[in-house]
């Protein structure tokens, strides 16, 4: 089995306007994921707004999460930063606190070259000693990992997995087959992009890195378990019940929608970090309507 597999749930990081993490609300979210027995927690991903938080607040969030999970499941934590030295320190913090792995994106204001990204990732892996997951997130970073760069990084000691984006569901199977053929055995291959992730798991991906699972873990767990058991029809059936939310994710961004879901489910009330604004009232009403239409086993 790969180092990381199954469902990795990515919750929001509730915080006030000054960027101070609401640890009570965060622990409530993490407890919900523990109750659902997700395979891992993805703390401080893009949905967890890692890039907006200070090093101190990231440490607080991770420490609270690790205390809440008490070793029941691995915690993957975002360690991305604009500077390599900052990313190294964040990864060292994560390792010292007990994270299972660090999720690292090619975040930059200035467009990066493949060689610059290779050196950035290699340095963080080498100097932190924390297992690193390559976070390919071109929608946010505008950097595209080529197959050649992924192959180079997969040969670096300490780089153990990749979180791929999904765009076209009909291309996932061939993309996964190409990576399986060229990447080392045991290198974990996973996908994000919730509306296409069921197809990725059916195709045999190791991991679904899920935004929705951070707030509605049960439905996502059912999709993953059905796919793992070879029941593609059941995985697709459950996935279809979530299509109203997938449409909202694509229209408004998954980040804004899950903040609204957290409020509607009375889990916590928090706004995304500025300059990101919460959904307007009309859009929130649409999220509430989509939530009402979900079957009972998909709305927990």
């Amino acid at each position: 089995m790969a180092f990381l597999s199954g469902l990795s749930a990515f919750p929001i990081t509730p915080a006030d306007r000054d960027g101070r993490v609401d640890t009570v609300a965060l622990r409530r979210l993490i407890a919900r994921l523990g109750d659902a027995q997700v395979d891992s927690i993805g703390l401080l991903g893009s949905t967890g707004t890692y890039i907006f938080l200070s090093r101190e607040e990231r440490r607080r969030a991770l420490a609270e999460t690790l205390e809440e999970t008490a070793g029941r499941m691995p915690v993957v934590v975002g360690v991305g930063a604009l500077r390599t030295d900052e990313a190294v320190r964040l990864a060292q913090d994560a390792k010292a606190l007990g994270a299972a792995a660090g999720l690292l994106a090619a975040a930059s204001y200035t467009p990066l070259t493949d060689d610059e990204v290779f050196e950035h990732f290699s340095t963080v892996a080498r100097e932190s000693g924390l297992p690193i997951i390559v976070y390919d997130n071109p929608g946010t970073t505008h950097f595209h990992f080529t197959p050649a760069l992924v192959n180079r990084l997969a040969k670096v000691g300490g780089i153990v997995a990749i979180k791929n984006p999904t765009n076209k569901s009909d291309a996932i199977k061939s993309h996964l087959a190409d990576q399986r053929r060229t990447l080392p055995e045991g290198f974990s291959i996973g996908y994000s992009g919730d509306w296409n992730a069921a197809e990725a798991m059916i195709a045999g991906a190791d991991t679904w890195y899920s935004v929705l699972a951070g707030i509605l873990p049960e439905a996502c767990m059912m999709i993953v378990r059905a796919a793992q058991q070879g029941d593609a029809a059941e995985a697709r059936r459950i996935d279809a019940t979530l299509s109203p939310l997938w449409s909202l994710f694509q229209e408004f961004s998954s980040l804004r929608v899950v903040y609204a879901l957290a409020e509607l489910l009375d889990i916590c009330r928090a706004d995304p970090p500025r300059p990101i604004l919460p959904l307007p009232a009309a859009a929130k009403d649409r999220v509430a309507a989509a939530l009402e239409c979900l079957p009972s086993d998909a709305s927990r």
Side-chain angles (χ1 to χ4, degrees), residues 32 216 218-219 265 291 294-300:
R32 183 180 177 88
L216 291 174
E218 298 286 356
L265 292 165
L291 191 60
L294 294 181
S296 58
D297 60 352
S299 57
R300 297 195 300 271

Side-chain angles (χ1 to χ4, degrees), residues 20 36-37 59 63-64 72 88 93 97-98 106 110 121 135 153-154 206 210 233 242 249 261-262 275 280 288:
R20 184 166 178 80
Q37 298 182 359
R59 280 198 304 256
E64 294 288 337
R72 288 176 293 166
V88 167
D93 289 346
L97 287 168
T110 301
F121 277 69
Y135 184 9
L153 289 168
D206 294 305
S210 175
L242 301 174
F249 274 21
L261 284 170

Side-chain angles (χ1 to χ4, degrees), residues 200-220:
M201 296 307 293
I202 290 167
D206 294 305
T207 311
W208 174 11
Y209 298 91
S210 175
V211 174
L212 188 64
I215 197 75
L216 291 174
E218 298 286 356
C220 301

